Amino acid sequence: MAPVISSISACAVCGIPATLKCAGCKNIVYCGKDHQKIHWRKGHKAMCKCIELKTDEIMGRMLCATRDIKQGEVIFTEKPLVIGPKLNCHPMCLGCHRFLTLKPKERNFYKCSRCNWPLCGPDCEKSQLHVPECNLMAYRNFKAQIDAQVGLEPKKEAAYCTIVPLRCCLLRSSDPGSFQRLMDLQSHLEKRIETPLYRVLKANLVTFIKTILNLDFDEETILKIAAVLDTNAFEIRHQHKNIKVRGLYPMAAMMAHSCVPNTAHTFNEDFEFVLIASVDIPKGTPIYTTYGQTLQGTLQRREHLRQNKFFECFCERCGDPTELSTFAGSFICSKCRSGKMIPMNPFEVAAPWKCSTCENSIPALQVINGNRAMLKEISELDQTNPKEFEAFILKYRDTLHGTNTHMLQVKYALIQLYGNIPGFHMSQLNDAALIRKVDLCRELLEVANELEPGYSFFRGYLLMDLQAVLAIQAKRDFDSKVIDREETLKRLTEAQDLLKEGVLILGLDPSLKDFISEKTRELNQIMQF
């Protein structure tokens, strides 16, 4: 009797029934590996994606799933079109992008022998990132003037604002196709052109490229390149290498924004953009990233997006007055003391706010001014003193409910402080402080599960914090004979499960390898009780 073959389809090369699916797109099948290789060479490589570019009347161009994408799956990896320093940054090597520090007995940075820009050393003079710009600057007899300040903290240098736009300009001759892809990206130049930043760029960046380097670019093109970068570039951090730069990724720039994203992204050692599905993404669903801050309320997030990205967000969270039942932007009603004040129309900045329980209402301006006052007060708190953050929570407990945006940001700051600063290292925390950190982690995780669910790095770091404090707490209680061995093992098993999930998430970022190893080592030591 012949075996039953399920899901029969035709081999893309020879047409006979086949079941071997392409592992990438999962849409094409083959009769065997040989025909899969043939089809790959014939062009399947170019279309082997689980996404496609579509156009929406409201959101414009965006990426959508061409098949069901599973949580944790890498959606795509993309090399940077251009990469380099941020607009205003501390002295940085233009070869490897590490921030520069003086070695003992040094009086100044190593300087490129041709253009005088600070570098790590002779090897970085040969970097393929630096050589093209160096050749041009040397030809034009330009010498950078950036020096170290011995005995002083390094200061940010505005001159670095020229580097990435210059690298973009040089693409026009070295890689015309990539240059055109760059110029096809959205810039919002018409909205940026009269901002203070672009008035400075007109004077500095345009002068540097047109006059000093004598490149054949008009002012509008140079400013458009700057605007494309400001609109689409991603910040890249490799903390283990002391690197913080920005990179442009044309495909990644096509992702739609949502304040509840379905993806997370990271950057590998080669600065490639790696996009991961943070939750299951059904076929046909847009691929969402977020350009906002999860713990901000809708008023703050939408203002940030208007001012920095020049678009209005109409995602499900922004359209829900309760912000997915977290009430992040809300506060306690001053009249009934039980209801929460919510906007009558979240998409309208000037819309009044009304209590969810009684008839009390207030003008939007009162809410906006209140938020600004709260943000100012939080910014003035001593960033090394948990007591000041705890005092803020106590002070406003009758005004701001537990998941109000300001409370959430203060609580998240406390999670970072407890266990990580002098005087409050994990071994120095008393029992009450350990319990406090556990409660804060669990509370923030509940919020994260709603606003940034699945494999989000926000959740990953919270899981790591929670498992660490639970393990310390269990060991301490066991040593004090508060709990027996069985209960200790139960608690440590919970910590181990949290660690596994945290590793699963944070392990997607190769730069966190050492951090993960250290956290794993710490728990393994405690497990040997």
Side-chain angles (χ1 to χ4, degrees):
M1 182 176 176
V4 176
I5 301 176
S6 59
S7 303
I8 294 179
S9 189
C11 172
V13 176
C14 65
I16 69 171
T19 58
L20 177 63
K21 280 188 177 182
C22 170
C25 64
K26 295 182 172 61
N27 287 325
I28 306 296
V29 296
Y30 306 98
C31 62
K33 292 286 186 181
D34 289 342
H35 280 189
Q36 185 175 14
K37 291 177 182 178
I38 291 172
H39 196 236
W40 185 263
R41 291 194 294 268
K42 283 187 173 181
H44 183 58
K45 178 180 180 180
M47 64 179 188
C48 183
K49 298 183 181 72
C50 58
I51 52 172
E52 62 181 345
L53 186 63
K54 289 189 174 182
T55 302
D56 180 83
E57 290 183 2
I58 297 176
M59 294 188 287
R61 292 178 294 179
M62 63 180 186
L63 300 176
C64 291
T66 59
R67 59 168 174 80
D68 292 344
I69 302 174
K70 292 192 176 298
Q71 183 184 51
E73 186 175 340
V74 174
I75 298 173
F76 67 80
T77 300
E78 183 180 15
K79 293 181 179 179
L81 197 65
V82 67
I83 193 171
K86 299 179 70 176
L87 282 175
N88 195 22
C89 69
H90 292 110
M92 170 188 292
C93 175
L94 296 186
C96 67
H97 295 130
R98 283 181 172 85
F99 286 118
L100 299 171
T101 55
L102 292 179
K103 296 181 178 67
K105 298 183 179 180
E106 283 186 338
R107 307 296 297 175
N108 208 342
F109 304 123
Y110 176 88
K111 301 292 188 72
C112 178
S113 60
R114 303 185 69 218
C115 66
N116 210 46
W117 278 91
L119 298 173
C120 286
D123 287 345
C124 283
E125 289 195 38
K126 304 170 189 174
S127 166
Q128 290 306 304
L129 287 169
H130 179 57
V131 167
E133 66 207 23
C134 181
N135 287 340
L136 176 62
M137 287 187 279
Y139 179 71
R140 298 298 181 191
N141 294 314
F142 173 81
K143 299 289 185 181
Q145 301 298 321
I146 297 177
D147 296 304
Q149 296 177 300
V150 180
L152 298 176
E153 288 293 320
K155 64 183 181 71
K156 290 186 175 182
E157 300 284 351
Y160 283 99
C161 76
T162 63
I163 297 300
V164 179
L166 172 59
R167 290 177 177 180
C168 291
C169 289
L170 293 175
L171 285 174
R172 189 174 67 177
S173 56
S174 66
D175 190 347
S178 291
F179 181 77
Q180 189 57 52
R181 290 179 72 195
L182 183 153
M183 296 303 290
D184 287 341
L185 294 174
Q186 200 166 39
S187 69
H188 298 295
L189 179 59
E190 70 285 354
K191 297 175 182 176
R192 297 183 185 274
I193 195 71
E194 294 304 325
T195 62
L197 171 61
Y198 276 73
R199 286 195 285 272
V200 172
L201 291 178
K202 277 185 184 181
N204 297 340
L205 175 62
V206 173
T207 299
F208 180 72
I209 291 177
K210 280 180 61 67
T211 306
I212 296 176
L213 298 183
N214 197 29
L215 287 180
D216 184 21
F217 283 86
D218 58 60
E219 178 181 292
E220 183 178 355
T221 301
I222 296 169
L223 292 176
K224 181 180 178 181
I225 288 171
V228 164
L229 291 167
D230 287 342
T231 300
N232 301 284
F234 287 84
E235 182 180 280
I236 307 163
R237 295 189 182 197
H238 282 175
Q239 293 181 347
H240 64 304
K241 289 185 176 181
N242 198 23
I243 291 173
K244 184 165 68 173
V245 292
R246 59 175 175 163
L248 188 66
Y249 303 83
M251 182 181 293
M254 294 294 103
M255 290 188 293
H257 161 84
S258 172
C259 296
V260 186
N262 54 15
T263 65
H265 67 265
T266 185
F267 302 90
N268 64 24
E269 296 295 314
D270 296 321
F271 299 106
E272 292 178 327
F273 182 97
V274 182
L275 186 69
I276 302 125
S278 55
V279 295
D280 289 340
I281 303 175
K283 180 179 179 179
T285 303
I287 304 298
Y288 289 120
T289 188
T290 184
Y291 298 113
Q293 294 183 29
T294 299
L295 297 184
Q296 287 185 334
T298 296
L299 269 179
Q300 296 164 283
R301 293 193 321 279
R302 299 189 89 235
E303 180 182 17
H304 167 79
L305 293 171
R306 279 194 301 272
Q307 292 182 352
N308 294 277
K309 296 297 182 179
F310 295 96
F311 70 80
E312 296 280 351
C313 182
F314 296 98
C315 73
E316 58 174 329
R317 180 181 173 187
C318 285
D320 181 358
T322 74
E323 299 199 40
L324 307 182
S325 299
T326 64
F327 293 91
S330 304
F331 50 94
I332 298 170
C333 175
S334 60
K335 286 195 174 181
C336 71
R337 312 304 302 173
S338 60
K340 297 182 179 69
M341 302 300 293
I342 58 176
M344 296 186 69
N345 182 357
F347 293 143
E348 178 52 59
V349 177
W353 287 56
K354 187 178 182 302
C355 177
S356 60
T357 301
C358 71
E359 295 302 313
N360 183 31
S361 66
I362 60 173
L365 187 59
Q366 185 175 334
V367 179
I368 293 170
N369 289 336
N371 281 332
R372 287 174 180 165
M374 290 291 179
L375 289 171
K376 182 176 185 298
E377 186 168 345
I378 293 171
S379 71
E380 293 171 350
L381 297 176
D382 183 349
Q383 301 298 310
T384 64
N385 188 354
K387 293 179 180 178
E388 289 200 13
F389 288 84
E390 293 285 13
F392 178 93
I393 293 174
L394 186 62
K395 178 181 178 180
Y396 290 107
R397 65 181 178 180
D398 294 329
T399 305
L400 307 176
H401 61 87
T403 56
N404 167 272
T405 173
H406 307 299
M407 287 293 197
L408 290 174
Q409 291 180 64
V410 167
K411 289 174 180 178
Y412 190 60
L414 280 169
I415 290 174
Q416 311 309 305
L417 292 173
Y418 285 136
N420 296 298
I421 62 171
F424 293 91
H425 287 302
M426 204 70 82
S427 61
Q428 297 172 307
L429 296 180
N430 60 30
D431 292 346
L434 288 179
I435 292 171
R436 178 62 168 154
K437 178 154 181 168
V438 169
D439 291 342
L440 290 171
C441 286
R442 293 195 189 280
E443 188 175 349
L444 267 292
L445 270 170
E446 287 184 12
V447 174
N449 289 338
E450 296 298 325
L451 303 183
E452 204 171 317
Y455 289 4
S456 70
F457 288 100
F458 179 39
R459 286 192 69 251
Y461 280 113
L462 287 171
L463 289 165
M464 285 298 201
D465 273 310
L466 180 55
Q467 66 83 23
V469 70
L470 283 177
I472 292 287
Q473 190 181 48
K475 180 67 164 55
R476 187 178 294 182
D477 286 349
F478 176 76
D479 291 341
S480 303
K481 301 188 183 332
V482 174
I483 58 176
D484 59 18
R485 191 174 190 84
E486 183 180 352
E487 178 62 22
T488 304
L489 185 59
K490 179 181 176 182
R491 291 193 194 178
L492 290 177
T493 299
E494 181 188 0
Q496 194 172 43
D497 290 341
L498 293 169
L499 176 69
K500 286 178 181 177
E501 186 179 1
V503 169
L504 190 64
I505 297 170
L506 299 186
L508 298 168
D509 185 343
S511 71
L512 298 177
K513 180 180 178 180
D514 291 342
F515 171 78
I516 291 170
S517 295
E518 178 64 17
K519 291 297 182 183
T520 303
R521 184 189 62 79
E522 289 173 358
L523 182 58
N524 286 338
Q525 283 184 339
I526 294 176
M527 292 289 288
Q528 305 305 315
F529 73 101

